[in-house]
Amino acid sequence: MKNDLNNLSNPKKYHKPVSIENQDSATLQQMLTSMLLIRKTEDQLAFGKKNSLIGGPVHLGVGQEAIAVGVSQNLKKTDRIFGGHRSHSHLLALNPNFYKLFAEVLGKETGFSKGMGGSMHLYDQPNGFYGSVPIVAGTVPLAVGAAMAAKLQKTDDIAVAYIGDGAVEEGVVHESFNLAKTQKAPMLFVVENNLFASHMHIATRQPSDMISRFAIANDIPHKLIDGNDVVAVTKASKELIDDIREGKGPALIELVTYRWYGHVDWRIDVDVGVERSLDDIKNWRARDPILRLSKSMIKEKILTLNQEINLNNKIDKEIQIAWDKAMNDPYPSLDATLKYVYSESKNEK
Ligand SMILES: Cc1ncc(C[n+]2csc(CCOP(=O)(O)OP(=O)(O)O)c2C)c(N)n1
Ligand SMILES: [Mg+2]
């Protein structure tokens, strides 16, 4: 495999501090809070899984928080955002209601999808989240359709599809790139390149580790960015999104990152010995998007150590209250499935 990402995919060689020069301190605080909240929500879900309190599978994106938080800085409530099997961060970056996410994953009627979707069928349209499904790449053509609709409706809304490095191995993604380009759809493809699809490293699956090559093939403007640097993600996605809103057609942003947990559930070690080494995980943890930001903020005196501790404690408390509340919420009634999931066949006599 060609290592076109070079040092960007090597945590040992790529430890640049997050540059926060000329950044508004309130925005930095908000982004730090948002990333922490997503991290702690997912750690709580890991706890729920470990203790058999959650039924279905849960795909955690711990380590990847800077991507959704950075991209979402530039999104509006009327934009149309689509995710996949690992989408807690995509949803929470738009609406930080972790209580509703807990309720959903626990199958409770108070959840985002009334307790009928679980971790992989999330929906929060009022805040721009049009949905996630477990079928890898399944939402990508839907996102292009939503982008084309936004254009026909003469809005400056855009659609966003979050896709993984594994998702580009699905043919429909390439049809979607082509269609978006030929239709000049207001569409941002956000590639979370975490170098793995399930348990397989990209080197065993593709001839190059750089997903942006497919943007080049489709004449789609693109940027290749460190996905663990929230400021870099925000800036780069803003430039692309500004152009998309101006009617210049689709763009792609590739963000190089790494997930700390294994492919599914709470174990970090499930992939180790297959393709991932404990050393790699250790090195990527040192490239933590949250610590990298808080360190820069402390250095520039935008944040004190005490404020950081207080923020952590505050979110921990809120998470605990929300989790306990969701645990005590009711399950949906059987009738609700007829209302929201199944319907009677119109052809039946
Ligand atoms: C169409 C389809 N094929 C296979 C799967 C099984 N599967 C679930 S996640 C996944 C890997 C996806 O990798 P990637 O797109 O890189 O996302 P990541 O898990 O790294 O976030 C696979 C193969 C599936 N859910 N849907
Ligand atoms: Mg991946």
Side-chain angles (χ1 to χ4, degrees):
M1 180 205 61
K2 277 166 68 196
N3 174 219
D4 293 319
L5 294 177
N6 298 317
N7 288 341
L8 208 48
S9 63
N10 185 343
K12 272 193 195 154
K13 294 200 176 149
Y14 203 86
H15 265 291
K16 286 203 296 188
V18 171
S19 166
I20 58 172
E21 216 183 321
N22 300 325
Q23 296 299 305
D24 169 56
S25 57
T27 306
L28 292 172
Q29 298 271 5
Q30 179 262 318
M31 292 200 296
L32 180 68
T33 305
S34 182
M35 287 198 292
L36 269 172
L37 186 148
I38 293 168
R39 168 81 49 93
K40 288 172 184 291
T41 298
E42 290 210 297
D43 280 340
Q44 183 64 32
L45 291 173
F47 165 88
K49 217 38 230 178
K50 190 174 179 179
N51 291 284
S52 306
L53 302 169
I54 296 170
V58 172
H59 299 78
L60 302 165
V62 169
Q64 306 187 172
E65 298 86 352
I67 295 178
V69 171
V71 170
S72 300
Q73 292 302 310
N74 307 301
L75 298 176
K76 304 185 292 174
K77 290 225 182 286
T78 47
D79 289 329
R80 300 132 198 235
I81 323 304
F82 292 77
H85 59 288
R86 199 183 302 285
S87 273
H88 305 147
S89 64
H90 309 152
L91 174 83
L92 292 175
L94 299 168
N95 173 11
N97 193 335
F98 42 82
Y99 157 66
K100 269 181 104 170
L101 180 63
F102 288 152
E104 185 55 45
V105 177
L106 290 165
K108 302 302 179 76
E109 68 175 18
T110 44
F112 273 113
S113 306
K114 303 190 191 305
M116 297 187 201
S119 160
M120 292 192 285
H121 298 92
L122 302 172
Y123 177 73
D124 184 24
Q125 205 226 325
N127 289 296
F129 197 72
Y130 274 46
S132 62
V133 299
I135 307 298
V136 169
T139 51
V140 183
L142 305 183
V144 176
M148 288 163 65
K151 187 176 168 186
L152 285 172
Q153 290 158 344
K154 300 202 186 316
T155 67
D156 74 341
D157 296 342
I158 69 163
V160 174
Y162 285 99
I163 46 185
D165 50 292
V168 300
E169 289 155 23
E170 292 289 339
V172 73
V173 171
H174 301 274
E175 295 176 53
S176 299
F177 289 155
N178 181 68
L179 186 67
K181 180 67 189 182
T182 52
Q183 295 296 316
K184 248 183 152 187
M187 175 75 217
L188 179 67
F189 298 98
V190 179
V191 178
E192 294 178 296
N193 186 353
N194 59 13
L195 311 170
F196 279 84
S198 301
H199 312 287
M200 286 176 80
H201 189 264
I202 195 163
T204 59
R205 305 169 2 239
Q206 298 190 30
S208 157
D209 57 1
M210 191 183 76
I211 305 300
S212 306
R213 68 191 192 280
F214 300 118
I216 297 166
N218 286 282
D219 195 23
I220 291 176
H222 75 279
K223 287 181 189 287
L224 176 58
I225 302 289
D226 172 7
N228 285 18
D229 178 338
V230 73
V231 174
V233 175
T234 306
K235 279 189 195 164
S237 54
K238 180 178 182 343
E239 282 174 30
L240 294 174
I241 289 173
D242 284 351
D243 281 352
I244 299 170
R245 290 202 201 281
E246 273 175 32
K248 293 187 182 161
L252 180 147
I253 185 166
E254 175 175 2
L255 302 151
V256 183
T257 188
Y258 199 82
R259 57 173 155 73
W260 295 5
Y261 285 107
H263 168 61
V264 66
D265 297 343
W266 54 271
R267 289 152 295 194
I268 60 153
D269 60 341
V270 74
D271 299 340
V272 175
V274 184
E275 296 287 347
R276 274 158 47 118
S277 73
L278 281 173
D279 236 24
D280 276 358
I281 298 172
K282 198 179 94 202
N283 287 323
W284 275 98
R285 284 177 82 108
R287 202 170 135 183
D288 180 355
I290 299 182
L291 266 186
R292 279 172 77 196
L293 177 64
S294 66
K295 263 191 195 164
S296 295
M297 288 172 70
I298 288 172
K299 191 162 167 254
E300 295 301 319
K301 303 201 188 325
I302 292 172
L303 184 76
T304 66
L305 214 52
N306 255 346
Q307 283 171 331
E308 192 188 21
I309 293 168
N310 288 342
L311 179 63
N312 271 280
N313 289 343
K314 180 172 171 278
I315 301 175
D316 283 343
K317 263 191 212 141
E318 288 170 0
I319 295 263
Q320 201 51 57
I321 292 168
W323 176 261
D324 292 344
K325 186 166 184 300
M327 284 285 290
N328 286 313
D329 280 351
Y331 291 105
S333 68
L334 270 181
D335 288 358
T337 56
L338 290 177
K339 198 165 169 199
Y340 300 115
V341 182
Y342 306 108
S343 70
E344 281 175 58
S345 166
K346 298 261 184 305
N347 298 327
E348 257 173 42
K349 295 201 176 104

